[in-house]
Amino acid sequence: MDASAYDAWYETPRGRWIASRELGLVRDLLAVHAGESLLDVGCGTGYFTRGLARQREGAVSGIDINPAWVAYARQRDDLDIDWLVGDAQALPFGDKSVDLVVSITALCFIEDERLAVREMVRVARRRVVLGLLNRHSLLWWQKGRRGGRGAYRGARWHTPREARALFDGLPVTDVSVSSAIWLPGGGWLARHTEGCWPAWLHGGAFLLVAADLAR
Ligand SMILES: C[S@@+](CC[C@H](N)C(=O)[O-])C[C@H]1O[C@@H](n2cnc3c(N)ncnc32)[C@H](O)[C@@H]1O
C-alpha cells in the first residue's frame, strides 16, 4: 500500500479516534521519564513515532523494513527523529542501548515474532510495549477471519494469553496485558461505551503487552 494512503486513514474520524486511544494507552504504559530514549520498531509511516516524540526531550528512533515508508516518515518529520531502514529480527542497536522500545501492530506482520521480541528485549534498558491485534475481539470477527481483509490481510492475531507468552523465557518482569477499541466502528456508541467494559475481559481489538527489563 502507498504510504500516504495508509497515513491518510489516521486523519479520518474513525482513524483519529482509534489512534488517539491507542496512543494514549501506549504513552501511559511507557510512563516516560525525562530524557529517556525511545525506539519504535516497525514504525511504518511514523504516525505513532511522531505522536510519541511530541512533548518530550529524549532521542527517538523509528525503524522499518519498508524503505518507501521510512522515506515518507522522514519527509513528514519535524521533530528530529532518527529514521532507519532495517529488520526487527536483527536490530542494528547494541544491548541495552535504548530506554524504551515500542512496536505497534508490526509484530503481527513480522515473520519470526519471537526473534523480533527477543531483539527488542535485548536492546531495551527499561521497558518494552507491544501493540497487537486481539483474536478475542469483534474486529477479528469483522476483518481477521479467513486470512484477513483489507489492511488486515495476512496479519497474525493473538489471544491475550498468547500475547503474554511472547515474553516467556526472556529476562523481563511484570508482564501486563490490556486492551482497547471494543467496538471498532468508532461511532457514537463505540466512543461512549469504550470505558464501560470490564478491563479484565481483554476484549478490545488493540491488545497491549508491557514488560519491564529485569535488573
Ligand atoms: C500495520 S504496519 C504498522 C506500522 C506502524 N507501526 C503503525 O502502527 O502505523 C506494519 C509494519 O511492520 C513493518 N514490518 C514488517 N516486517 C518487518 C520487519 N521484519 N522488520 C521491520 N519492520 C517490519 C511493515 O513494513 C509495516 O510498516
Side-chain angles (χ1 to χ4, degrees), residues 34-173:
E36 280 188 321
S37 55
L38 181 143
L39 169 66
D40 182 6
V41 177
C43 63
T45 56
Y47 181 87
F48 286 102
T49 332
R50 291 190 296 278
L52 292 169
R54 251 169 229 128
Q55 297 161 2
R56 58 186 308 279
E57 296 152 18
V60 176
S61 314
I63 186 166
D64 198 281
I65 204 155
N66 184 335
W69 283 27
V70 172
Y72 176 90
R74 188 176 285 123
Q75 187 196 318
R76 289 214 54 183
D77 177 21
D78 55 359
L79 298 160
D80 212 16
I81 296 167
D82 192 19
W83 301 102
L84 296 111
V85 176
D87 190 345
Q89 300 158 120
L91 289 172
F93 291 86
D95 297 359
K96 296 193 181 299
S97 57
V98 188
D99 292 305
L100 304 164
V101 176
V102 64
S103 181
I104 303 177
T105 50
L107 211 56
C108 14
F109 293 96
I110 293 172
E111 203 176 319
D112 190 337
E113 58 174 8
R114 289 202 163 268
L115 180 53
V117 175
R118 203 184 316 145
E119 278 293 273
M120 293 183 217
V121 168
R122 178 183 68 75
V123 305
R125 222 167 4 232
R126 187 167 73 77
R127 186 166 290 170
V128 175
V129 174
L130 306 174
L132 303 165
L133 295 169
N134 189 359
R135 198 157 77 241
H136 288 174
S137 69
L138 191 56
L139 185 66
W140 180 79
W141 277 95
Q142 291 178 337
K143 305 263 170 122
R145 289 177 298 155
R146 300 188 205 100
R149 292 199 284 128
Y152 301 96
R153 181 166 294 284
R156 193 182 297 116
W157 296 66
H158 296 83
T159 65
R161 186 191 292 247
E162 288 166 353
R164 181 184 287 275
L166 287 168
F167 286 104
D168 282 357
L170 295 175
V172 296
T173 59

Side-chain angles (χ1 to χ4, degrees), residues 182-199:
W182 286 74
L183 302 181
W188 184 91
L189 191 64
R191 290 162 200 241
H192 284 79
T193 55
E194 176 71 9
C196 302
W197 304 92

Side-chain angles (χ1 to χ4, degrees), residues 22-39:
E22 292 176 353
L23 189 59
L25 281 175
V26 171
R27 273 209 193 103
D28 289 350
L29 282 171
L30 287 171
V32 182
H33 303 163
E36 280 188 321
S37 55
L38 181 143
L39 169 66

